[in-house]
Each structure stands twice: as structure tokens, then as C-alpha cells.
Amino acid sequence: MKSLRTIALKEAQARISPEVKAPSTKISDFYGSNVFDKKKMRDFLSKEVYEKLISSIGQGELINQEDANQIASAMKTWAMAKGATHYTHWFQPLTGSTAEKHDAFFEPSGDGAIEKFAGSALVQQEPDASSFPNGGIRNTFEARGYTAWDPSSPAFIMESAAGKTLCIPTVFVAYTGEALDYKAPLLKALAAMDKAAVDVCQYFDKGITKVNASLGIEQEYFLVDLALFNARPDLALTGRTLFGHISAKGQQLEDHYFGSIPERVFAYMVDFENEALKLGIPLKTRHNEVAPSQFECAPIYEEINLAIDHNQLLMDIMEKVARRHNFKVLLHEKPYAGINGSGKHNNWSLITDTGKNLLAPGKTPKNNLMFLTFFVNTIKAVHEHADLLRASITSVSNDHRLGANEAPPAIISIFLGQQLDEILEEIEHSRLSKKIKEDNGLWLGIPKIPQILLDNTDRNRTSPFAFTGNKFELRAVGSSANSSAPMTVLNAIVADQLTKFKVDVDKLIKKGDKKDVALLTVIKRYIKESKDIRFEGNGYSQEWADEAERRGLSNIKTTPKALDAYVSDKTTELFTKTNIFSKRELHARHEILLESFYKKLQIEARVMGEVTNSQILPAAIAYQNTLIENARGLKELGLSKDAIATPLAIIEDLSKHIGIVKSNIDAMLEQRKKTNAIEDTRDKAIAYDEQVKVYFDTIRYHTDKLEQIVDDSVWPLPKFRELLFLK
Ligand code: ADP
Ligand code: MG
């Protein structure tokens, strides 16, 4: 019988890319064509309702029933003209992916059928959603949840060969009010940020009435041929390879990064980009990444809520389009041991309704002070809540990056670049004269901040949180994550910090300080207080781990412990004060994340057992039998001891590895039984991490040894060299 591996390899060898045609030669001709954007709103709505909708998007004002009816009807007309037959509320439950439940526009009527879409169906739906993760928030008797329209993210049409669907971005909440999704808390955090940042902006510019957080998400991913993917149960069921000896050629020649993109991959990129562009996702950049068959795409930044919806949608499109190209896209943080993993860099900034980027150093002293205010408050916020930020990016798959000698480390620190680092040093040690008459006099002692920072390009790739010229870049987010979790935290902690800042500054002003003196006095104090979080050196080095420990910074390497920060008193106070999460919601989320952690490890352990027992060991034993046959034959022929020494040595080697693998698989199974009996979710997650997962490395080490010994033609799993190099 031919092995699945052989068939898959043949299939992969014979691939021809499908022809990719863009809807037009110019992207601007079709960009956003599947989005019910402002222009379409204006075309399809009365002027009055259009204006109300716009102000609802900007200021969050409520939309009444009558207006909702008109908006729904306009959406339906537009969507049906484009061929949509169904609509769905589109939301982001805590499973990590997106969810939809489609309903047809059509409704039977007395003499046939008509197409309908009422305002009530636009505004609210009740998905039968009792099986979404809820962390105990919904007992079965109150199992209902509802989705509610988020007008700040425009409706769009999802196309597939089988039909088109109008999608309405929504939040997902329990009937008792608790959030069951990623979007609801994010919107609350953004509202808190808006308020806090606008208040602080008043010190500098009374004309600012709104501050939006901006986000540009770089998305890394791997591609693998679909047939080869299907021949690897570990990849198919867990998203990563649990076995596999590193390929003789990996990334050591550094020839993949920014190299030319393989034709087949290029066709795929263009195809998914076109789909994304039609949905108004402003994809701008594409390139190879460091590891073989690893790539990246990045859009132009947008307002956070939209940027995250777009990233969720993008991941979905990437997966769907990959099928057309017989690829599988791997969004897992670490699909292959021994080569780089994938992240999702979150480039974050704050932008006012006057068009000012609050994290861009300005030309004049006044603008510099405004920049310093937001810059230093961000640093202070991250210093205060480093553990919470760490918790927000943790997951079973991201554990392979953070804390596993890979980019970036589990220690949260901030990289500023030499110039800004020195400027903060100088301010910290400057002497402020309180007696100055003119605000401007103050600036004599304050270093000048160059508008263009040299360090813009001096990227410290080892830092989890780096300032890159006019934005901060959170690099620790995992490639498969929903960015809402870290962005909810980042905006919440900075919002809270800005609120405290205002109190501190106002206190000094009340005591008689001039405004600029008060601002700078507080900034100076914050620089000093948050100094320990700043680190300019190599984040991967042992010296940094030691230094961080001396500074008292946390270095939490695994998820179950990192998650503690979600339910600490400090976090609870922060989130309840800002009205982003209630205590109950935090505990629910904590529970869901722990559960997801150990369940994923449980699946990995099972797959490991099954593949080892039913594929790897049989292949090793079959090869061993061949060798036994060989040794016996040599002996029968009367050959010397020396001649049969080689097959005997290999047989022995095989026996050794087979024995170790088998005993470890059995021991892991026993351990799993014990661990499954643990009641407490946190204890169970820790036990899975410390007592079950520990077997993975040993098992893998020895199965990888077997891979190196066993006859290639009987080895059942596609090897790294076959998976990694796309032709
Ligand atoms: P690099 O890989 O060099 O960091 P990329 O061009 O791949 O740069 O990605 C940079 C990302 O940062 C893009 O998504 C870009 O739109 C985003 N970005 C640039 N300026 C801002 C800003 N002010 N706020 C948020 N994101 C920004
Ligand atoms: Mg970057």
C-alpha cells in the first residue's frame, strides 16, 4: 500500500497555481466595493438619517427604531443589488475565531415570498449560542445571549462561490449584561481612552474633542501544501508539528527574508489581498519572513476597532483563499520547532480629531511637552501593569515564543531607542526652576527632542514593546491571537494612567505652579518611577533575565501563571473603576482561558499518543524487522560477526529509542488520567503544563531520532524538508 505521505508528495509536486484575476487593474477601482461605507450610506440613506448615523458612529449616540428601519432597508437594497441573499450578525466570541449565523432575507408571504430586513433584525439578534465559552456566566437556565450592532464598524458582504452574505459587526453579550466576546470590552476601553486623553489634551489644545487609538497589525504566517498538511495529523489537529527532525537546511543561510516570493505563493497573496481589498482592508505590504515558507502582510493603520475587525476578517479570508490554491495557512505561533515562530506586531498610537498623532515628537517645545506627556504616561502605565499586559498576550501556542528563547522574551520591558532614552535621563536629572515667570523659560533646561529620531530604523527586535518613531509596537502578540485582548488592556491602562496624571498635575496647578511646570514636574516624577521597565539591550540574553530579576520585573514563562494577573486585586480595581470588566467577567475570562489552555494540551497529548502508537512505532518496527531479516540472511550465508555487526547495531539503536518512546507515551497517558481528575481549573492547567507537557520533549527527541534512522520510504509523516520548501 502506498503511504499517505507518498501520495501527498506526488500531489504537492504536481501543483499548478490557479489563474488569479483582479476585478480591475487599479485597486482604487474595487477597494471597499463590498463594504457599506460612508459613501454608500450617503447614497442609500436620507440626508437626515445619514447624519444621525455618522454622529452615532463618532459620538456613540443611540439610533431610534424608525431610523434603524431605514438603515436596515438601505443595507438590504444595497446588499441584494450585489447578489446577497442572507444576512448575519458577525461577532467575536471567546473561542478566538469569528462566528456567524445566517438568516435569509426572504420570508414567505400570502402569495409567494418577499425579501425583508427590519431595523430590529439589524440592531439585535439572539443567536442560539449556549455552547460558546462563557466561563460560568450563563447557567443553562439563563443560557441566552444576544448580539448587538456596532455601527462604528461598517457592514460588509462576504462572498463565496456558493453565495453572498451581508455581515453586520456586533458585540455579543449575555442577557445579564456581561460581555461574552472580545469586542464589547474593547469598545469600553476605547471610550475610557477617549475621555482620559481628551481631558489631558485640554492642557495643550482646547480644540481637541476626540482621541482615537490607532492600530496597524502586521500578520505573520506560514504556508504549507494542503496534501502534505493533511498527511500530518499533528498539524491538522493542533496547528503545529508535534514531531519532526529539523531540516538539514533551515533558516541558517538567512536567504528567505525579503527574498523573492515563490510564484505559487505570489498567486495566493494576490488572490487573498484582492478579497481583502474589496472588503476595505487596506493591505499595503507583503514579504517573505525569516523562516522558510513564512510570510508577512501588513495593512495601513486604522482606528483600533476597525483594525481588529479587519484582522479577524483577514485571517478568515486567508484561510478560505488558501484552499483555492491547495495551501493551508498556518497561523499558529510555532508550527515548527527549531525555526522562527510567528507573531502579530501591534503598532499602536493615539490620534486626535485635529489629525495630530500624540506619539509623534513635535517641532515646538509645546508640542514636545504634549508628546512627552503621552509618551511617558504610556511607559508608566506599562510599568504599573506589566503583568496584566503579559497576561493579555498569553496562550498555549504563544508559550512557545515567550519564555522559550524566542522573540520576544516573557519579561515585559520597553525599548525607546538611544536618543529618547537619553532625553528621559536628562529630564530625570534636570533641575526645574519653579520661580520662572514665563512658561517658555522652562525649556532652557530641557533637552531638545529631534523631530526625526535616528533610532527610527534602529530596531531592537528583542524587545516586546518598542517605540518606533511615532508609535509603540507591541511585538509579543501571537500570530493567531485576537488583538482585542492586548488592546483592551493597553488602552485601559494608559487611560487610567492619564486620568491619574491629570489629578497629579491639577494638584500642582492648584498649589500655584504654572501649567508647564506642573506638567513637567509630574512627567519627571513618572520617568523616575517607571525607570525599571526601560531596557535598551539584548532581550534574549541571560544577562537581561538576571538584571530584570534584580529590578524586580516579572518573568512568567507559562500561561496558567501568567493568567493570575487577570484576577489580581490591582487588575480588578483598574477594570471595575474604568467600567470595562466587572469582577464576574474577569473571573469568567480567567476560567475560559485556563480551560482553553489545558484542553489544547490535552488534544496535543492525545494526538501525540495516537500518532506515535499507530504510525511512528509501526514504521520503526517494520524497518527493524527488515534489518532482522537482513541480519539473519547474512548469518545464513555464513558471513563473519563483523559483517552482521552493522544491522545488529542499528537494530539495537532502534530498540533503544522505541523502548523509550513507548514507555514515555504510556507514562504520559497515566499522568493524564491523574491530571484529568483535578477539579480546580488553575491547578489542572498547571498540572497539564508541568506534568503532562514535560513528556512532549522526550517523546519528540526520540521519535525524531527514529526519523533519522528509519528507511525514508516507510516513514509515514511528511518531513520538515518536504513541508518547508514550497516550490
Ligand atoms: P515594520 O515591519 O518595519 O515594523 P511595517 O510597514 O511592516 O513595518 O508595519 C508597520 C505598521 O505600523 C503598519 O501597519 C503601519 O500602518 C503601522 N503604523 C504606522 N504609523 C502608525 C500609527 N501612527 N499608529 C498605528 N500604526 C501605525
Ligand atoms: Mg514592525
Side-chain angles (χ1 to χ4, degrees):
M1 201 186 78
K2 262 198 178 152
S3 78
L4 199 52
R5 170 168 166 239
T6 329
I7 300 167
L9 277 171
K10 226 177 174 170
E11 236 177 88
Q13 286 296 326
R15 295 285 186 215
I16 306 165
S17 293
E19 203 183 325
V20 176
K21 274 215 192 94
S24 155
T25 45
K26 261 203 348 265
I27 289 173
S28 53
D29 286 346
F30 64 91
Y31 179 68
S33 57
N34 283 346
V35 184
F36 193 66
D37 54 19
K38 284 189 183 154
K39 175 165 184 329
K40 281 155 213 147
M41 289 175 196
R42 204 174 328 124
D43 293 348
F44 283 82
L45 294 169
S46 70
K47 189 162 179 286
E48 192 203 341
V49 174
Y50 168 75
E51 273 161 12
K52 278 197 212 162
L53 181 53
I54 295 299
S55 96
S56 152
I57 293 169
Q59 272 81 47
E61 272 161 41
L62 287 177
I63 288 170
N64 66 35
Q65 184 71 40
E66 207 176 304
D67 295 341
N69 278 334
Q70 192 189 123
I71 297 165
S73 162
M75 277 184 188
K76 185 195 71 178
T77 308
W78 168 75
M80 283 181 56
K82 293 199 63 93
T85 54
H86 288 65
Y87 65 92
T88 179
H89 276 196
W90 180 83
F91 57 104
Q92 298 166 33
L94 297 169
T95 52
S97 46
T98 55
E100 320 159 4
K101 177 194 157 220
H102 299 193
D103 281 300
F105 287 126
F106 115 94
E107 265 175 34
S109 71
D111 47 359
I114 50 162
E115 263 77 20
K116 258 192 174 165
F117 185 42
S120 53
L122 163 67
V123 173
Q124 192 168 315
Q125 291 261 291
E126 234 181 275
D128 176 23
S130 47
S131 54
F132 286 106
N134 61 71
I137 274 181
R138 288 177 298 139
N139 301 323
T140 28
F141 66 87
E142 52 171 33
R144 293 185 311 168
Y146 66 93
T147 51
W149 180 33
D150 165 22
S152 62
S153 182
F156 56 90
I157 290 174
M158 188 83 99
E159 286 182 303
S160 92
K164 297 183 182 178
T165 309
L166 172 68
C167 300
I168 308 193
T170 57
V171 295
F172 180 39
V173 287
Y175 254 96
T176 40
E178 288 91 354
L180 297 171
D181 71 346
Y182 283 109
K183 192 193 261 275
L186 175 73
L187 292 177
K188 290 182 187 170
L190 294 174
M193 171 57 91
D194 180 23
K195 170 149 194 347
V198 167
D199 282 353
V200 170
C201 281
Q202 301 308 300
Y203 290 129
F204 309 96
D205 181 349
K206 299 253 185 268
I208 293 171
T209 61
K210 170 119 191 127
V211 172
N212 271 323
S214 60
L215 180 64
I217 301 180
E218 300 164 58
Q219 178 70 53
E220 292 180 330
Y221 61 98
F222 279 86
L223 284 176
V224 62
D225 187 273
L226 184 61
L228 294 170
F229 170 85
N230 285 331
R232 296 270 326 204
D234 49 354
L235 265 186
L237 294 177
T238 72
R240 73 178 184 109
T241 53
L242 299 170
F243 310 95
H245 197 280
I246 184 125
S247 165
K249 178 180 187 295
Q251 64 189 45
Q252 66 271 58
L253 299 180
E254 297 172 345
D255 52 355
H256 191 64
Y257 192 57
F258 284 170
S260 74
I261 298 169
E263 240 348 270
R264 195 179 154 205
V265 175
F266 185 67
Y268 163 69
M269 287 176 168
V270 172
D271 206 5
F272 86 68
E273 283 171 14
N274 286 341
E275 294 297 330
L277 290 162
K278 281 195 266 177
L279 288 165
I281 303 173
L283 281 183
K284 175 99 171 153
T285 310
R286 57 166 99 106
H287 60 81
N288 289 352
E289 260 304 327
V290 173
S293 80
Q294 190 189 27
F295 308 93
E296 179 185 302
C297 62
I300 297 168
Y301 69 88
E302 300 177 280
E303 184 274 312
I304 282 201
N305 179 37
L306 194 56
I308 291 178
D309 280 1
H310 279 167
N311 179 253
Q312 289 296 117
L313 201 49
L314 176 69
M315 291 195 287
D316 198 34
I317 293 167
M318 287 170 76
E319 288 186 339
K320 283 182 181 150
V321 174
R323 300 223 151 239
R324 298 211 278 267
H325 294 257
N326 290 303
F327 277 133
K328 185 74 195 177
V329 57
L330 306 176
L331 294 167
H332 193 285
E333 281 72 5
K334 191 79 179 174
Y336 304 101
I339 58 176
N340 274 22
S342 300
K344 182 183 301 222
H345 295 179
N346 279 213
N347 295 273
W348 170 89
S349 185
L350 294 169
I351 297 181
T352 68
D353 55 350
T354 57
K356 185 175 171 46
N357 177 351
L358 294 171
L359 289 171
K363 255 186 264 178
T364 61
K366 181 177 129 190
N367 284 337
N368 275 184
L369 192 51
M370 195 171 184
F371 160 74
L372 278 174
T373 294
F374 287 91
F375 184 64
V376 170
N377 272 289
T378 304
I379 297 169
K380 174 98 161 98
V382 172
H383 177 253
E384 278 300 308
H385 293 282
D387 286 355
L388 178 58
L389 196 59
R390 168 74 183 89
S392 74
I393 44 147
T394 200
S395 69
V396 74
S397 44
N398 214 15
D399 276 2
H400 295 284
R401 297 172 68 228
L402 311 169
N405 292 324
E406 217 200 298
I411 309 161
I412 296 288
S413 69
I414 305 182
F415 171 83
L416 299 181
Q418 193 193 344
Q419 277 174 308
L420 282 170
D421 193 56
E422 282 171 5
I423 286 166
L424 294 199
E425 284 287 322
E426 274 185 62
I427 296 175
E428 186 191 337
H429 298 109
S430 64
R431 262 195 292 148
L432 294 180
S433 159
K434 304 253 171 171
K435 292 194 201 90
I436 47 157
K437 300 244 159 47
E438 287 287 317
D439 270 357
N440 278 347
L442 180 75
W443 287 94
L444 295 173
I446 297 303
K448 258 216 170 108
I449 301 171
Q451 214 197 351
I452 302 196
L453 299 162
L454 286 177
D455 289 299
N456 250 354
T457 47
D458 168 20
R459 302 299 174 79
N460 183 335
R461 294 268 164 205
T462 67
S463 177
F465 196 68
F467 186 71
T468 47
N470 58 1
K471 60 186 189 297
F472 278 100
E473 186 172 339
L474 180 60
R475 304 210 181 97
V477 187
S479 49
S480 70
N482 184 320
S483 289
S484 296
M487 285 302 115
T488 299
V489 166
L490 182 59
N491 287 288
I493 62 177
V494 176
D496 183 52
Q497 183 53 57
L498 287 168
T499 309
K500 288 181 180 149
F501 177 75
K502 184 157 185 329
V503 172
D504 288 343
V505 172
D506 286 351
K507 236 185 253 162
L508 293 182
I509 293 177
K510 220 178 223 160
K511 278 205 307 205
D513 276 358
K514 282 199 165 284
K515 186 181 75 188
D516 281 5
V517 175
L519 285 166
L520 212 46
T521 308
V522 179
I523 287 173
K524 201 174 125 125
R525 170 157 70 82
Y526 284 5
I527 291 174
K528 203 181 212 134
E529 287 170 356
S530 60
K531 209 174 170 177
D532 279 344
I533 200 84
R534 279 158 49 202
F535 179 63
E536 298 289 304
N538 176 7
Y540 300 168
S541 65
Q542 185 55 45
E543 290 80 61
W544 171 228
D546 298 342
E547 166 69 17
E549 197 180 337
R550 273 195 296 278
R551 292 189 192 181
L553 300 179
S554 306
N555 185 1
I556 312 166
K557 298 202 171 185
T558 61
T559 292
K561 290 181 182 160
L563 287 175
D564 288 347
Y566 260 124
V567 285
S568 71
D569 289 345
K570 198 173 176 183
T571 299
T572 311
E573 196 210 322
L574 165 84
F575 279 131
T576 49
K577 194 173 57 184
T578 45
N579 268 327
I580 295 168
F581 286 116
S582 66
K583 196 169 175 184
R584 192 159 122 98
E585 285 174 303
L586 285 174
H587 281 269
R589 253 154 233 254
H590 182 236
E591 183 79 7
I592 290 168
L593 292 164
L594 285 170
E595 239 176 53
S596 149
F597 175 84
Y598 82 72
K599 282 183 180 165
K600 284 180 179 163
L601 278 185
Q602 189 174 46
I603 293 170
E604 290 193 348
R606 285 181 183 158
V607 172
M608 206 156 205
E610 187 189 327
V611 174
T612 304
N613 285 331
S614 68
Q615 294 190 277
I616 293 177
L617 291 182
I621 291 167
Y623 180 53
Q624 199 181 35
N625 281 339
T626 315
L627 292 170
I628 292 171
E629 216 34 36
N630 172 267
R632 207 181 277 133
L634 293 174
K635 204 171 172 194
E636 270 170 29
L637 287 175
L639 289 178
S640 70
K641 260 210 169 107
D642 277 358
I644 51 175
T646 303
L648 287 183
I650 305 177
I651 291 168
E652 232 185 293
D653 214 12
L654 282 169
S655 294
K656 186 184 88 191
H657 295 302
I658 289 171
I660 298 177
V661 169
K662 179 76 178 102
S663 60
N664 275 280
I665 287 283
D666 292 346
M668 181 171 75
L669 181 72
E670 278 312 305
Q671 190 56 50
R672 237 159 60 218
K673 283 186 193 153
K674 276 188 217 150
T675 310
N676 288 340
I678 300 175
E679 288 277 331
D680 181 79
T681 322
R682 182 175 179 274
D683 291 345
K684 194 167 178 167
I686 291 175
Y688 253 101
D689 195 43
E690 291 176 357
Q691 285 157 38
V692 177
K693 196 182 162 199
V694 283
Y695 286 100
F696 291 9
D697 286 346
T698 315
I699 295 168
R700 183 180 191 140
Y701 177 81
H702 292 279
T703 53
D704 290 357
K705 286 279 174 212
L706 288 172
E707 183 189 318
Q708 295 274 290
I709 306 171
V710 171
D711 177 3
D712 184 67
S713 69
V714 299
W715 190 254
L717 303 170
K719 297 183 173 178
F720 272 25
R721 62 176 147 81
E722 294 157 346
L723 296 165
L724 279 171
F725 296 94
L726 297 162
K727 67 167 183 81

